Amino acid sequence: MNEIRPVEQGVGKLETLAQIERKLVWLASWMIHHANHIRPNPEGQKVGGHQASCASVATIMTALYFDALRPQDRVAVKPHAGPVLHAINYMFGRQSLEKLQALRQFGGAQAYPSRVKDGPEIDFSTGSVGLGVALTSFSALIQDYVQAHGLAKAGLPRARNVAIAGDAELDEGNIYEALLEGWKHDVRDVWWVVDYNRQSLDSVMPDRLFGRFEGLFRDMGWKVATLKYGRKLEAAFARPGGYSLRGWVDECPNSTYSALTFQGGAAWREAILADMRRSRGVRAIIDKLSDDELAALMTNLAGHDLGALTDAFAAAAQSDQPTLFLAYTIKGNGLPFAGHKDNHAGMMTLEQMDGFRAANHIRLGHEWEKFEGLESPRAMERFVQSVPFAKPLAAHGRRLPAAVVPVPATLPQPRVTGRKMSTQSGFGEILSEIGRAQGDYAALSRHIVTTSPDVAVSTNLGPWINRRGVFDRYTREDVFRNGKLVSAQRWGTDAQGQHVELGIAEQNLFLLLGAAGLSHDLYGARLLPVGTVYDPFVNRGHDALFYACYQDARFLLISTPSGITLAPEGGQHQATNTPLLAIVQDKLASFEPAYCDELGILLRHAFEYMQRPEGSAVWLRLSNLALPQPTRALDPAQVIAGGHWVVPPQPGANIAIAYQGAVAGEAEKAFAILQEDVPEAGLLAITSPDRLYAGWRAAQRSRRLGHKAGSHVEDLLTPLAPGAAIISVLDGHPAAHAWLGAVRGQRVMALGPDRFGQSGDVGSLYREYEIDSAAILDACAEALLPSND
């Protein structure tokens, strides 16, 4: 065990920090108490909060925010410590009293720290357990990238990316996926500080589990600092008999230690003497102590010892080696339910809060005052304002400014005349041409960074990588190229490369996209991140994709190949649900072009939209099915808005075919036959059911507020008769289109696979899952039959 022994520091500083710590515990506890017991609660439901978790981590956060952290450092705070972070920002003058009083209320401070809802003082949103911890590792990788490419804000010192984690977060698999990827890329300047209170949500953690973490992290190149005992216990252990006492504490099971903490000094004395009554040295240590003093000694863990923590952080700051701090703590430390296994969601009663108020010297009516109950309030205020982290990083909070990257009016288009091409291939060719960095594309190409979880070649990133190289801290030669061995891939790696290659772990893909998509705020460097992944495996990383969007990270996701059109691959690789995911995911605009001319418009839009203040991340679902490419003039605004008429219907037409993506060819075949009998019919290309639906919903909300408003989908469907039939088809779940019937009351017959696929050729699968031209015509015939009403 690598234990860092505390070293005596200046008493004045530690006493000041101790007062700050007590104030943070008070404010966090009072915030939660006020939300649950004082302010109006119309529904009468428990508002919630985590007083025990806040108390557990308060010492760690005091040592970090008021001593160790520098203005440029970036921090992810464990979700259940949100009130402590709000209290810290309140003391720094970065959070309002109104927000604290409205904790977990509409418009108030969020239950868990949120970049979007809580404002610019929050570096990383947390709440999805483990993801905030892992994100700091990828943020450090992005820092390496932007500095190596000369994109970071001039004069900005290197940041340390710090995660304050709950011990139960180390149960999350995404942490170990990130740990391995961090080792591959030799990430630096990362601290993970674990609040090891040995209690998870429902129980006390197994004793054997935590001993395994040291080896895991050391094997990945991390330094591990185990902070177990505070100065009082270390002093006791140094006395005669202290060795035996230390052995007893070391062997004390987590559950027993927690129970004794809750029971207090008398229980500690009884348990120790039951095993070591005859040890004169142990008796000499404990007999002279009162029960309260004994309880204070036995719970003197390093995670609650400011001297131990500040020494450990100062020592680690001398190196950029990633460091794991295992800080032993007590859940609910200093509160009436400290150590109790049910304390996770527990809250102090009114009587307990009155006692806690008195212990903290808080006068009635002064509960929210920043320095109430502290010695020398003015001196404390000066101290808080003087700590390094209190210094402003940017004019408007901790978000750095970054210039917008100019996007040319058009992107280079593949040669399509006389060719069949898939949208996946078209994407590769367009990106490759941008990668030439010629003329107007030079600035754009410099800011694009691509990444993929071991599928770069099969998602057509290969040509881009050949031009721009693979990013690595170290220069590594391409052995195949040096050996003059034939290969289409020329993948030399160095610090100037613009592709970050990942292992097969989709969570890491979305965490890296999330980190890269925040680089403008974190490092003043505008990146245009592009990530590619097989469409079905968006599901494997969906939690991290959701998390990246919740951060309002800006990136371009290319999911390809998609659908049952990936016929020989079988059902495991044929996703049907992704068009629905794209519709329901907030902060993510999604599209599915059928042809490369639409793709060019949407790629250009994506690079521009990602940078708008009101913009978002963008998702393009592409296909590997090669189709003959049309020669035509398109209105980019309609393609971006979600749909355009390939063949406009005549006014009052009673039927139209609408298609999305790779099934365009089948829809066109069916339409040619339909038009022979129904010449007034229309053919609609849907490029984004997501944008059509979002526009319709926005118009509905606006009209409810009394404003005159319309939407693109309403305009598109207006030429059709009120009772017209729309036969829609896509290589995805038909529910993605079924809602179209609600727009103007028209009938929709939505075609699309809604069950697991299987291996086969495209034609066979299209027939089996009823998305071929014959199935489309059958649906048209059914729609045109006279009604039985």
Side-chain angles (χ1 to χ4, degrees):
M1 180 179 291
N2 176 28
E3 294 183 14
I4 293 182
R5 302 293 180 90
V7 178
E8 200 66 41
Q9 294 190 15
V11 175
K13 176 182 176 181
L14 293 182
E15 286 184 349
T16 300
L17 291 175
Q19 289 195 59
I20 296 293
E21 175 197 356
R22 290 195 296 273
K23 189 63 186 182
L24 293 178
V25 175
W26 164 259
L27 284 172
S29 300
W30 178 253
M31 218 181 298
I32 297 165
H33 182 83
H34 180 270
N36 286 274
H37 296 295
I38 297 178
R39 76 176 183 220
N41 185 353
E43 289 84 16
Q45 294 182 347
K46 177 182 177 181
V47 176
H50 301 277
Q51 290 176 336
S53 291
C54 290
S56 175
V57 78
T59 322
I60 293 170
M61 293 181 69
T62 301
L64 283 169
Y65 280 90
F66 294 88
D67 187 64
L69 293 177
R70 306 156 304 171
Q72 71 270 23
D73 293 338
R74 300 295 182 175
V75 193
V77 175
K78 77 170 191 172
H80 293 150
V84 181
L85 180 58
H86 296 317
I88 289 171
N89 281 328
Y90 178 56
M91 294 190 75
F92 283 148
R94 298 168 176 172
Q95 177 65 284
S96 70
L97 173 59
E98 292 73 23
K99 290 279 190 178
L100 299 191
Q101 292 174 330
L103 173 73
R104 293 188 171 218
Q105 198 172 41
F106 184 77
Q110 293 294 295
Y112 309 128
S114 168
R115 282 176 52 85
V116 175
K117 304 296 194 302
D118 285 320
E121 297 311 318
I122 307 299
D123 296 324
F124 304 111
S125 301
T126 54
S128 192
V129 176
L131 292 176
V133 179
L135 184 64
T136 58
S137 180
F138 289 102
S139 179
L141 174 58
I142 290 301
Q143 176 173 236
D144 288 343
Y145 181 94
V146 299
Q147 290 192 340
H149 287 79
L151 297 172
K153 183 179 184 297
L156 181 70
R158 279 186 66 85
R160 186 173 294 117
N161 281 270
V162 180
I164 303 167
D167 47 17
E169 291 192 86
L170 293 185
D171 286 341
E172 291 288 342
N174 65 73
I175 282 182
Y176 303 101
E177 291 179 349
L179 190 65
L180 181 59
E181 201 63 59
W183 173 79
K184 291 178 189 175
H185 289 93
D186 192 25
V187 297
R188 322 299 293 174
D189 292 309
V190 181
W191 286 1
W192 289 356
V193 187
V194 179
D195 172 21
Y196 179 35
N197 57 50
R198 289 157 290 173
Q199 287 183 246
S200 58
L201 187 66
D202 292 327
S203 63
V204 176
M205 297 182 70
D207 300 288
R208 295 173 35 215
L209 178 63
F210 226 73
R212 309 301 301 172
F213 293 132
E214 289 191 34
L216 286 170
F217 278 82
R218 284 206 180 92
D219 287 346
M220 292 296 109
W222 285 54
K223 178 182 178 181
V224 179
T226 299
L227 307 174
K228 190 169 186 180
Y229 298 123
R231 292 167 298 170
K232 291 180 181 179
L233 268 176
E234 290 285 3
F237 295 154
R239 294 178 56 185
Y243 181 82
S244 297
L245 181 61
R246 183 189 191 109
W248 186 89
V249 178
D250 280 340
E251 295 300 319
C252 185
N254 287 344
S255 55
T256 301
Y257 188 92
S258 295
L260 291 174
T261 298
F262 177 72
Q263 291 172 298
W268 278 112
R269 192 181 310 277
E270 181 180 351
I272 294 169
L273 293 180
D275 293 332
M276 294 186 292
R277 186 177 299 274
R278 296 182 179 181
S279 172
R280 293 183 179 179
V282 171
R283 293 294 299 264
I285 294 171
I286 70 171
D287 281 356
K288 66 178 183 179
L289 300 177
S290 69
D291 285 348
D292 288 345
E293 290 170 333
L294 180 58
L297 173 67
M298 298 308 295
T299 57
N300 177 229
L301 301 180
H304 298 302
D305 190 306
L306 285 161
L309 289 168
T310 53
D311 281 349
F313 295 148
Q318 304 307 308
S319 166
D320 66 357
Q321 183 179 6
T323 303
L324 175 73
F325 301 89
L326 299 179
Y328 280 64
T329 61
I330 294 167
K331 195 162 186 174
N333 183 57
L335 303 184
F337 38 63
H340 196 286
K341 70 174 184 176
D342 298 335
N343 65 11
H344 180 78
M347 286 182 283
M348 284 182 272
T349 64
L350 296 176
E351 293 76 13
Q352 288 172 332
M353 181 54 76
D354 284 341
F356 193 58
R357 181 205 314 273
N360 281 276
H361 311 292
I362 307 295
R363 293 169 294 166
L364 281 171
H366 296 262
E367 293 85 356
W368 295 105
E369 292 181 15
K370 293 179 183 179
F371 301 99
E372 171 73 9
L374 302 183
E375 299 173 13
S376 304
R378 290 183 180 178
M380 294 299 297
E381 184 174 7
R382 287 194 298 270
F383 172 80
V384 168
Q385 292 173 349
S386 72
V387 302
F389 198 76
K391 294 178 173 59
L393 184 61
H396 302 288
R398 294 179 52 75
R399 309 259 173 105
L400 296 173
V404 170
V405 177
V407 181
T410 60
L411 298 186
Q413 289 298 296
R415 181 184 60 81
V416 297
T417 304
R419 294 178 69 188
K420 283 187 174 183
M421 181 178 286
S422 69
T423 49
Q424 176 178 302
S425 297
F427 160 72
E429 291 195 17
I430 294 172
L431 200 61
S432 176
E433 287 303 304
I434 294 173
R436 290 182 185 274
Q438 295 179 347
D440 293 341
Y441 304 120
L444 178 64
S445 65
R446 182 170 182 247
H447 290 266
I448 292 173
V449 55
T450 62
T451 184
S452 186
D454 204 37
V455 291
V457 174
S458 49
T459 56
N460 284 62
L461 279 180
W464 161 267
I465 300 172
N466 285 344
R467 295 193 191 284
R468 311 304 293 186
V470 178
F471 173 73
D472 197 285
R473 180 188 291 272
Y474 308 103
T475 298
R476 307 179 196 276
E477 297 297 329
D478 185 334
V479 176
F480 272 69
R481 182 172 60 186
N482 291 348
K484 298 182 179 179
L485 302 174
V486 177
S487 172
Q489 313 308 324
R490 300 183 296 277
W491 285 21
T493 66
D494 58 36
Q496 295 307 305
Q498 288 182 239
H499 174 77
V500 181
E501 185 65 6
L502 300 172
I504 308 176
E506 285 76 9
Q507 292 263 12
N508 284 346
L509 169 72
F510 293 115
L511 286 169
L512 178 57
L513 287 175
L518 297 176
S519 63
H520 52 287
D521 282 346
L522 299 178
Y523 305 117
R526 180 78 63 177
L527 293 181
L528 300 175
V530 179
T532 66
V533 65
Y534 282 14
D535 185 67
F537 301 133
V538 170
N539 290 295
R540 284 210 285 212
H542 185 223
D543 188 20
L545 171 60
F546 178 97
Y547 176 63
C549 292
Y550 183 72
Q551 307 260 11
D552 196 22
R554 305 302 180 85
F555 55 88
L556 171 58
L557 169 63
I558 304 291
S559 68
T560 184
S562 62
I564 65 168
T565 301
L566 187 60
E569 294 284 345
Q572 187 68 34
H573 283 191
Q574 298 169 1
T576 62
N577 69 317
T578 46
L580 294 174
L581 287 182
I583 291 174
V584 302
Q585 180 60 59
D586 189 20
K587 298 288 184 179
L588 184 65
S590 65
F591 303 88
E592 185 170 358
Y595 294 105
C596 292
D597 54 359
E598 297 169 331
L599 172 65
I601 291 169
L602 294 173
L603 271 176
R604 193 258 165 213
H605 170 68
F607 288 133
E608 190 268 335
Y609 188 68
M610 288 157 57
Q611 303 183 72
R612 291 185 198 170
E614 74 279 10
S616 73
V618 179
W619 179 359
L620 300 185
R621 187 176 189 253
L622 305 182
S623 173
N624 65 335
L625 181 66
L627 296 173
Q629 298 296 303
T631 302
R632 58 186 177 176
L634 292 175
D635 179 357
Q638 294 213 358
V639 175
I640 293 166
H644 59 94
W645 285 108
V646 179
V647 178
Q650 295 179 20
N654 64 351
I655 192 167
I657 295 175
Y659 69 82
Q660 175 181 329
V663 295
E666 300 296 323
E668 289 162 357
K669 290 178 193 175
F671 180 74
I673 296 171
L674 173 67
Q675 211 175 21
E676 294 176 2
D677 295 327
V678 189
E680 68 272 18
L683 179 63
L684 178 65
I686 295 177
T687 55
S688 175
D690 168 52
R691 295 296 86 194
L692 291 177
Y693 184 77
W696 180 49
R697 288 276 291 166
Q700 288 178 312
R701 284 192 292 268
S702 185
R703 289 193 290 262
R704 284 196 293 269
L705 294 173
H707 306 300
K708 185 177 181 180
S711 67
H712 184 54
V713 69
E714 290 168 316
D715 293 340
L716 283 173
L717 300 183
T718 292
L720 298 174
I726 302 170
I727 312 303
S728 75
V729 59
L730 77 158
D731 186 0
H733 200 285
H737 290 171
W739 62 272
L740 288 168
V743 175
R744 296 185 60 82
Q746 290 144 342
R747 294 175 295 145
V748 172
M749 299 182 67
L751 304 180
D754 56 4
R755 61 193 192 280
F756 290 120
Q758 57 188 297
S759 297
D761 59 86
V762 172
S764 297
L765 265 62
Y766 277 14
R767 284 191 295 274
E768 172 65 22
Y769 294 91
E770 298 177 307
I771 58 173
D772 65 341
S773 58
I776 297 169
L777 285 170
D778 286 344
C780 290
E782 182 180 349
L784 292 170
L785 286 175
S787 173
N788 293 326
D789 293 342

